[in-house]
Amino acid sequence: MIGDFTYTGLFLSFFIASGGMTSMVISLLIFLSIREKQLFHYLHGGFFFVFGFCILCDPYSRLGTESFAPYLLYMNYPLIFLVGPFFYYYFRSLMDRKFSFSVRHIFSLIPFLITLIIFIPYYVKSNEEKIALFPLNGISDGVVKTLYRIIELSMFPWSLVWVLFAIYRFWNRYYYIKDNHDRAVKFASIYLLGSLVVMMVILVTDALNLFQYYTFGILGLILIMLFLGVVTFRYPHFFIQVRMESSAARYAKSRLSKPVADDVVERIEDLMSLERIYENPDLTINDLSRSLKITPRELSEIINTRYQKNFRNFINAHRVDAARKNLVNRPGESILSVCFACGFNSKSNFNRVFMDSVGMTPTEFRNRNSRQKRSLKPADTVPEQGKI
């Protein structure tokens, strides 16, 4: 025994801590591996980092292990109130490409901010003082003890509520389609339900002080989250496929009413920004319409109406946008390489389309931006006379 802590409990706790560290490493790999990051990438990486740090700190908040890392004591308590919102907003951004943060989303941070303010006096104490006051539920100050207990009892229910929100949103948007048999959608639904079950186990066992079962619940949660991390790291667009499959199922049986046309536009944007299908030089309107499960005539109508362009000009606009980025961000790459990488099948066609769109040739565009970059660099300065 170490204090009131068995060696088995000690081993499980440090195993849990290693899972938290692994989750934090995955978050860093997510940020480093994805070239063109969008909102859901930042939410995904942020969720794994916050979740990993909370799990890393959890074992050190157990009686018998507090002396191993006193600087981590209760550091996870405010952050636990961020895990649920991060989880929900991550899935929300996957399900709705137009999702963005607004002022009303700040309210989800209130429990985190309140808990942080309450624990600041504890965080600024020395390690010896932190250990002397640990655990807080045993101190004599009735107000502090009550606040601590309220926070402790509300952490996991708060996260559970956000998981339920995510499930409701997912079901309401996607899974109500009875004949939807796409694997990605099924995987996402099983993952969400599994997260719900594990969260409920953690909630009940924590409230009843059943440490052994609570530990296994945490281990189960770690496995679920790490599985998500491995899948999305190995297949970064997997959950985007969930949105694409589900939107396809929604409008497959309908005519092009406005809501259905909106779904088509959303999926077109996904195919352009995430799949970058414009990089295929042989892409035709028939190919794209088959991917969208609509007729070429319907696709042409949507592109003409929503983008005021025909199909060829619409695809070329995306190719030119990609070429402009590559010409600036990849100065060592030849113009011809940029041309083919963006989906143009000849340099002459590339020059003509680029000139019509930008008003200058690709070479002129690169040279102008290179000069602008150099002019923005801090120049060597000479001290004024009498000054050093």
Side-chain angles (χ1 to χ4, degrees):
M1 297 277 290
I2 299 179
D4 294 328
F5 212 84
T6 64
Y7 283 109
T8 301
L10 187 68
F11 172 78
L12 288 175
S13 290
F14 285 121
F15 184 78
I16 288 173
S18 66
M21 183 63 72
T22 303
S23 182
M24 295 172 68
V25 170
I26 288 177
S27 73
L28 297 177
L29 292 175
I30 290 171
F31 283 124
L32 294 174
S33 63
I34 299 174
R35 186 177 63 184
E36 297 180 7
K37 298 180 180 63
Q38 299 190 15
L39 176 61
F40 58 85
H41 294 135
Y42 290 105
L43 287 170
H44 181 58
F47 165 71
F48 265 90
F49 189 86
V50 170
F51 171 78
F53 188 78
C54 290
I55 295 298
L56 174 66
C57 295
D58 184 77
Y60 303 110
S61 298
R62 300 289 164 185
L63 193 62
T65 60
E66 69 277 7
S67 59
F68 287 99
Y71 47 86
L72 292 178
L73 287 175
Y74 298 114
M75 290 291 290
N76 57 329
Y77 274 44
L79 292 176
I80 289 176
F81 287 98
L82 291 180
V83 172
F86 259 111
F87 185 86
Y88 171 77
Y89 293 137
Y90 170 57
F91 271 90
R92 176 75 183 277
S93 66
L94 286 177
M95 292 182 282
D96 184 2
R97 73 182 315 273
K98 297 179 182 179
F99 170 75
S100 61
F101 285 105
S102 60
V103 176
R104 60 190 177 88
H105 292 119
I106 297 177
F107 289 102
S108 63
L109 303 179
I110 291 178
F112 160 75
L113 295 173
I114 292 176
T115 307
L116 180 63
I117 293 171
I118 291 174
F119 272 93
I120 283 178
Y122 183 83
Y123 294 151
V124 298
K125 295 183 182 296
S126 65
N127 289 340
E128 292 75 15
E129 291 176 311
K130 290 179 180 179
I131 293 175
L133 291 172
F134 181 85
L136 292 179
N137 59 357
I139 63 177
S140 57
D141 191 324
V143 176
V144 176
K145 186 175 181 178
T146 301
L147 288 174
Y148 167 80
R149 191 58 181 163
I150 291 174
I151 291 171
E152 191 175 46
L153 291 176
S154 58
M155 290 187 301
F156 291 116
W158 174 257
S159 299
L160 183 62
V161 166
W162 286 97
V163 174
L164 289 171
F165 281 161
I167 292 175
Y168 170 77
R169 187 83 183 186
F170 181 82
W171 183 274
N172 188 53
R173 186 171 175 83
Y174 293 148
Y175 213 76
Y176 69 90
I177 305 171
K178 302 302 182 182
D179 58 346
N180 192 334
H181 300 299
D182 295 309
R183 288 179 296 176
V185 174
K186 287 186 176 181
F187 176 87
S189 62
I190 293 173
Y191 179 83
L192 284 169
L193 291 174
S195 302
L196 175 64
V197 171
V198 174
M199 284 297 301
M200 292 182 67
V201 170
I202 293 174
L203 175 63
V204 173
T205 55
D206 182 65
L208 298 177
N209 291 320
L210 301 174
F211 174 73
Q212 182 178 1
Y213 297 103
Y214 169 85
T215 301
F216 284 114
I218 292 292
L219 288 173
L221 187 61
I222 291 174
L223 292 176
I224 287 177
M225 296 306 170
L226 291 183
F227 180 67
L228 172 66
V230 170
V231 169
T232 50
F233 176 70
R234 180 65 180 83
Y235 307 101
H237 296 322
F238 178 82
F239 279 96
I240 301 305
Q241 188 67 25
V242 174
R243 184 170 67 204
M244 294 173 66
E245 288 178 357
S246 302
S247 61
R250 285 201 305 274
Y251 63 73
K253 295 185 289 186
S254 306
R255 299 183 64 84
L256 285 178
S257 61
K258 184 180 183 302
V260 177
D262 290 340
D263 288 335
V264 176
V265 170
E266 179 179 311
R267 194 156 184 249
I268 290 173
E269 295 295 333
D270 282 338
L271 288 170
M272 295 298 164
S273 62
L274 299 173
E275 300 296 328
R276 297 194 291 272
I277 62 170
Y278 55 81
E279 293 178 353
N280 176 12
D282 300 321
L283 181 68
T284 65
I285 192 170
N286 291 329
D287 297 330
L288 184 55
S289 63
R290 278 195 297 269
S291 298
L292 297 168
K293 299 181 182 178
I294 58 176
T295 66
R297 182 177 179 179
E298 290 169 335
L299 176 58
S300 178
E301 177 187 341
I302 290 177
I303 292 178
N304 290 333
T305 303
R306 296 300 180 94
Y307 300 100
Q308 288 77 51
K309 297 176 182 177
N310 60 33
F311 174 78
R312 183 177 296 279
N313 290 339
F314 172 73
I315 297 298
N316 282 338
H318 281 278
R319 289 170 175 165
V320 169
D321 286 341
R324 293 175 64 176
K325 294 178 183 177
N326 291 345
L327 287 169
V328 175
N329 298 330
R330 305 178 186 177
E333 191 169 338
S334 68
I335 300 293
L336 189 61
S337 296
V338 172
C339 161
F340 291 136
C342 295
F344 291 98
N345 53 16
S346 69
K347 188 174 180 179
S348 59
N349 183 43
F350 175 45
N351 287 332
R352 178 182 59 78
V353 173
F354 196 94
M355 184 72 179
D356 291 341
S357 177
V358 183
M360 63 184 78
T361 67
T363 302
E364 292 171 339
F365 177 83
R366 170 176 275 178
N367 291 338
R368 175 174 294 188
N369 280 273
S370 297
R371 288 196 297 270
Q372 289 177 351
K373 277 190 172 183
R374 285 196 297 269
S375 67
L376 292 175
K377 290 182 179 179
D380 294 334
T381 58
V382 179
E384 297 179 20
Q385 188 174 2
K387 294 184 180 180
I388 299 178

